[in-house]
Amino acid sequence: MSKFSFLLFPILLLAFVSSSVGNGITNVESSKIRQAHQRRLLSDYQFPNSHLKDAYVALQALKHAILSDPYNLTANWVGPDVCNYTRVFCAKAPYDNNLTVVAGIDLNRGDIGGYLPEELSLLVDLVFFHGNSNRFCCTLPPKFDQLKLLREIDLSNNKLSGKFPEVLLRLPSLKYLDIRYNEFEGFVPKELFDLPLDAIFINHNRFQFEIPDNIGNSPVSVIVLANNKFSGCLPAGIANMSRTLRQIILKNNGLDSCIPPELGLLKNLTVLDISNNNLKGPLSDVFSGLEKIEQLNVAHNSLQGNITESICHLPHLKNFTYSYNFFTSEPPACLHLNAYSDRRNCIPGRPAQRGKKQCASALAANVNCDSFMCKKFKPPCGSSSPPPPTSEVSPEDRYLSPPPPPLVIPVWNYASPPPPSKN
């Protein structure tokens, strides 16, 4: 093929597209034109192996699905050398050391606008897909379940919407799931908590459901479900996560029950935040068994009674927030913690407390925890907890993405997105 004929085809293609636009070319026709052009390029390009050829098709489809790329992250996504594309990482295949494949894509904080095309399912060797802090819309393509090696997916802080993407339940290697700060809605499938994940972030969406009892089946070390629209009980089954769970954040979810005493079985827990719910009843000695707890937040609920001294003597406790409840006493030990907040309670002699009438009215109501009809705690069969995950997210790094997969791949050191700015 001559160099002239190679250049002539794109020119004729553009001329055809330009003339067709005036006649109302459809999206389907436009797609067919692009596919024809890609087939022509594929016949001209040489690839080291079929995996990189498929990767080229997938990455070109993604580039065409991007409508806005203000930082030009995909500007050099041209030609057959996909391993030199910006933010695309190649490595030796884990099953064949002689085979080079595309193992990762990192488009974090690119402010990219567009959608995720079905052709991404051709990236069968992909280990991580990082795309947080962009403007990807719609949802995940159903064929995403072809990515059998995918361990990490971070699509947080985008404009994804619709129901929970159930294709995520069909990724056998997945360990890290982050879809927070999107616009997903509806139920969260209970099957999510049966997966062998290490971290679940689905906070700041519009999910509406009751936390299922099988949440205790999950072997995660970190789970953040905050700022959704839950209802029902704070399930006692969470206690079955005692071997692996390090951090759980359930704040601002509309949970309406007493605090199950079994939460005290979470002896490896370092962070617990159940603030801004509608939890009632006493705190008593529920948390005295949290031997490793560092941050404990029960603020903005309707809890009452005494703060027991055993809680404030927990050896690693640094921050205890119990403001905006109806507690009537606190031990002096709580006032010597590195950080604490007791305001807007009913504690005599302390500043910034509730008024006497408000306290009297709230404390006159008798809280019957059985009336919530929460399911009783059931230990797992054989009382054997799932094995701990191979990697854990430390308290210092709980808002960071996990370490790179065990492949020789350059990975960007990045933080997960902050909350979107308020207008």
Side-chain angles (χ1 to χ4, degrees), residues 307 320 322-323 327-337 339-356 359:
I307 301 288
F320 183 20
Y322 48 100
S323 53
F327 293 119
T328 53
S329 70
E330 62 186 345
C334 293
L335 307 182
H336 295 287
L337 293 170
Y340 73 93
S341 177
D342 64 356
R343 66 192 310 269
R344 303 299 293 169
N345 278 289
C346 302
I347 304 173
R350 292 295 298 163
Q353 298 296 297
R354 297 182 187 273
K356 291 183 179 180
C359 288

Side-chain angles (χ1 to χ4, degrees), residues 34 57-69 74 77 107 112-120 135-138 141:
R34 287 196 303 269
V57 174
L59 293 170
Q60 290 302 310
L62 178 57
K63 182 175 181 177
H64 284 296
I66 292 174
L67 307 177
S68 173
D69 184 6
T74 62
W77 286 21
L107 297 175
I112 290 170
Y115 65 94
L116 302 174
E118 276 195 0
E119 287 86 350
L120 289 176
R135 289 172 285 131
F136 288 122
C137 69
C138 308

